[in-house]
Amino acid sequence: MLRKILSAAILLVAVCAFSQSGSPTHFNGKTWWDYVKVLADDNMEGRETGSAGLQRAEAYIVEQLKQAGIQPAGSDGYYQRIKFQSREIVEKESSLALVRDGKVEPLVLGEDAFFSTRVDLAPELQSPMVFVGYGLSIPEKNYDDLAGLDLNGKVAVILNGSPADIPGPLASHYQTAAERWKTLRAAGVVGVITVANPGSMDIPWSRMSVNRTHPSMSLADPEFNETEGEKLVLYFNPASAGKLFEGSGHTFEELVTIAKERKQLPRFPLSASIKVKAALEKKNLESANVVAKLPGNDPDLKNECVVLSAHIDHLGIGAPINGDSIYNGAMDNASGSALLLDVAASLKKSPEKLKRSILFLFVTGEEKGLLGSKYFAAHPTVDPKSMVADINVDMFLPIVPLKILTIYGLAESDLGDMARQIAESHGITVQADLEPQRNIFIRSDQYNFIRHGIPALAMGVGAAPGSPEQKILKDWLTQRYHAPSDDLNQPVDLAAAALYEEVVRGLMIDVAQSPQRPQWKQDSFFRRYAQSSN
Ligand SMILES: [Zn+2]
């Protein structure tokens, strides 16, 4: 899953729990884990986009697809090759400081803040700062954090989050880097500083900061540049954020308290300017998506396909934690890629007469900003209109028994109803996203399909609020998410994995067999993309 740096308060919703689990018929969890063991092995070197390790993992996937009788559907056999540019910060030639009343106060890189190299940082910049609250403009709700502010030539300081009365998907959408930058740029902003919300960080600052010099990537084709004109992106340590607000008449603590209540934040100019020197090392590189197809049998519907997607890339080799520098990404997302292979193999073993075709899509560049899926959705190797749905599998976390399934996008399209029905037929309780503030609906590859009008969803093993299982899932995020310990030496619940696979397989088959394509709900925010792409 793509790391989101910040989030806000956790919204808890009551759910009904307790039901027996149905037993899976096509899966035993063991074959799935066997694939995970190969893909997350140390010799895959953490499957970094553009690396030899990822190439090896993809070659293995292609081999397995061939054995399962799934046909190539890329632009070059099973592959769709993509060009990237990587950017790495050279910290010893870079610096950060606050300038207050003509006095320079240096900031420590990594401790106070660090650069995001997702954007093409300007070599030098000095600019006044304005605190813009959540930094959100949501015309649908007449909500505008930027109203009345003079932002021309300024750096916007944001505390991530959103007010409680903005629906989750809408708030998530406007928090994407691209949407946010559109509005900020129009207001004259030249850069963004995001302050991590201490109440709701997925992983602690020290772990965020330790890999800050790891390269970022973007798609080389300029058509994908969504951050043009953005000269600075910084992440600021909440423990140091007091420095930003000194002399502003507000304290960081006060703002965090308001954000916790999810009310609109005050917006005001800050007393200091930010002074930046940023040196970047840039490289060109190539990586690939893997695309394969199982043709359907219906004379008409076989020309349509259900996309089953998972990202295969992870973070590669990085800063060592407890002596381990290989970020294996066993759950994130060898687990999802393995699921696709396992489902493909199950179809060979017990073939279903599918009406629509199934497209198996293993994307690269997810951890770099959903880049492989962005490229695929813009330049699919199949007819763009033929894709009826995307079921994305990313880090579904079968580490507790599958009694509750969290469905991201549950209320947005028919897919949610279909997934609910299948899950419930297996005795699984379904819940919507309990933590909309974590923005999971837009944090994995399904989002790029959504942007192109294609109904999509993702699902994860869930837990009831306050339950021991919820604590296990939460602890996993704190300790193993995007750490070298997301490896093969962690407890996994094979029965939960098998049952989850059963639900995905069932949903995929239902979509493939249904006379109608899945539709967005009338009141779904995301329906607009289907309308604009038709
Ligand atoms: Zn991830």
Side-chain angles (χ1 to χ4, degrees):
M1 183 180 295
L2 176 64
R3 187 176 75 196
K4 181 209 49 153
I5 298 282
L6 306 157
S7 52
I10 293 171
L11 181 70
L12 297 179
V13 178
V15 292
C16 38
F18 306 118
S19 50
Q20 317 113 303
S21 312
S23 51
T25 49
H26 299 93
F27 305 101
N28 58 16
K30 247 183 70 38
T31 51
W32 165 78
W33 184 244
D34 286 343
Y35 291 122
V36 176
K37 280 200 278 198
V38 176
L39 296 171
D41 191 279
D42 275 356
N43 69 15
M44 297 300 182
E45 297 173 331
R47 307 185 308 277
E48 167 109 274
T49 299
S51 71
L54 180 59
Q55 277 178 30
R56 278 195 291 279
E58 292 192 338
Y60 171 78
I61 284 171
V62 166
E63 213 38 59
Q64 300 306 307
L65 290 168
K66 277 184 191 160
Q67 282 179 30
I70 314 288
Q71 301 173 2
S75 47
D76 174 10
Y78 287 92
Y79 293 99
Q80 178 184 43
R81 301 193 193 277
I82 307 170
K83 290 186 163 54
F84 294 87
Q85 187 185 63
S86 85
R87 285 187 287 263
E88 191 176 333
I89 191 84
V90 185
E91 280 199 349
K92 61 180 193 305
E93 295 167 29
S94 306
S95 63
L96 275 184
L98 297 176
V99 182
R100 218 186 303 262
D101 306 323
K103 236 187 81 208
V104 178
E105 306 168 17
L107 295 169
V108 180
L109 282 172
E111 210 174 292
D112 294 319
F114 62 84
F115 290 100
S116 163
T117 47
R118 285 260 168 85
V119 303
D120 200 358
L121 298 166
E124 284 187 49
L125 177 76
Q126 181 166 349
S127 158
M129 298 183 288
V130 179
F131 181 66
V132 296
Y134 306 114
L136 290 172
S137 297
I138 304 179
E140 291 85 347
K141 291 281 164 187
N142 273 320
Y143 180 91
D144 191 2
D145 279 330
L146 310 185
L149 294 173
D150 172 13
L151 293 168
N152 203 23
K154 310 279 170 65
V155 165
V157 176
I158 289 170
L159 182 60
N160 256 21
S162 61
D165 52 353
I166 308 288
L170 197 58
S172 295
H173 169 77
Y174 281 106
Q175 287 175 72
T176 57
E179 288 303 320
R180 211 196 265 292
W181 181 241
K182 254 189 235 167
T183 332
L184 291 173
R185 188 187 191 193
V189 170
V190 295
V192 175
I193 298 175
T194 323
V195 186
N197 190 325
S200 54
M201 294 156 75
D202 270 356
I203 60 178
W205 175 262
S206 57
R207 281 223 284 112
M208 284 164 59
S209 173
V210 73
N211 279 306
R212 65 189 181 276
T213 62
H214 204 77
S216 298
M217 290 180 199
S218 54
L219 290 162
D221 191 323
E223 76 169 275
F224 295 105
N225 186 358
E226 291 168 332
T227 56
E228 210 186 328
E230 194 162 9
K231 295 178 174 167
L232 173 70
V233 178
L234 276 185
Y235 296 120
F236 220 92
N237 186 348
S240 301
K243 298 179 190 184
L244 289 171
F245 296 95
E246 250 169 59
S248 71
H250 298 267
T251 65
F252 182 57
E253 290 68 30
E254 163 201 337
L255 301 169
V256 167
T257 306
I258 300 172
K260 210 175 261 173
E261 290 163 4
R262 304 195 61 203
K263 294 184 180 147
Q264 186 166 21
L265 291 158
R267 287 92 56 215
F268 48 88
L270 300 177
S271 67
S273 292
I274 186 96
K275 187 176 185 221
V276 176
K277 215 177 133 207
L280 285 179
E281 197 178 291
K282 302 179 195 177
K283 281 186 200 133
N284 296 317
L285 51 96
E286 197 185 273
S287 186
N289 293 329
V290 173
V291 200
K293 185 170 157 179
L294 182 69
N297 291 297
D298 183 271
D300 296 321
L301 293 182
K302 73 174 182 190
N303 297 316
E304 298 182 345
C305 62
V306 184
V307 182
L308 192 57
S309 58
H311 76 88
I312 172 63
D313 68 297
H314 192 57
L315 302 169
I317 295 173
I321 297 178
N322 298 326
D324 187 1
S325 60
I326 300 177
Y327 288 63
N328 304 77
M331 291 301 114
D332 186 11
N333 185 32
S335 70
S337 300
L339 179 141
L340 263 58
L341 291 179
D342 214 22
V343 167
S346 84
L347 289 169
K348 191 180 183 189
K349 235 186 285 163
S350 34
E352 314 274 341
K353 265 247 173 237
L354 295 174
K355 291 182 176 160
R356 289 192 177 83
S357 302
I358 306 290
L359 201 69
F360 293 90
L361 175 64
F362 302 79
V363 293
T364 186
E366 193 270 354
E367 303 286 9
K368 309 296 180 190
L370 316 183
L371 299 181
S373 58
K374 182 180 277 186
Y375 189 88
F376 184 86
H379 300 287
T381 56
V382 297
D383 175 2
K385 297 260 183 278
S386 72
M387 296 184 280
V388 304
D390 172 49
I391 304 163
N392 188 50
V393 185
D394 185 4
M395 214 175 93
F396 60 97
L397 290 184
I399 57 173
V400 298
L402 176 50
K403 294 184 177 140
I404 298 176
L405 186 71
T406 305
I407 301 183
Y408 304 97
L410 178 63
E412 306 299 331
S413 75
D414 299 344
L415 287 176
D417 304 321
M418 296 169 96
R420 175 193 290 277
Q421 206 174 36
I422 291 159
E424 287 176 353
S425 77
H426 288 283
I428 303 166
T429 301
V430 161
Q431 68 188 12
D433 189 355
L434 293 187
E435 299 168 291
Q437 296 314 108
R438 288 180 59 225
N439 291 326
I440 289 184
F441 197 48
I442 64 163
R443 276 171 63 192
S444 187
D445 296 300
Q446 69 272 3
Y447 190 61
N448 285 314
F449 290 89
I450 294 167
R451 290 300 303 253
H452 285 266
I454 300 163
L457 60 68
M459 303 180 280
V461 175
S467 65
E469 289 78 15
Q470 193 197 33
K471 184 173 180 331
I472 293 171
L473 293 167
K474 174 90 182 94
D475 287 348
W476 188 93
L477 287 177
T478 310
Q479 290 152 17
R480 296 191 194 262
Y481 175 53
H482 283 199
S485 57
D486 176 14
D487 62 11
L488 297 171
N489 299 310
Q490 63 180 310
V492 184
D493 185 328
L494 296 185
L499 187 53
Y500 179 93
E501 289 188 284
E502 202 67 38
V503 173
V504 171
R505 189 184 198 272
L507 175 59
M508 180 191 84
I509 289 173
D510 272 13
V511 180
Q513 304 302 60
S514 164
Q516 302 295 326
R517 303 167 69 121
Q519 301 293 325
W520 292 102
K521 299 284 187 191
Q522 284 299 320
D523 59 353
S524 171
F525 167 78
F526 300 103
R527 187 165 167 261
R528 64 180 62 188
Y529 298 118
Q531 288 164 327
S532 61
S533 71
N534 281 339

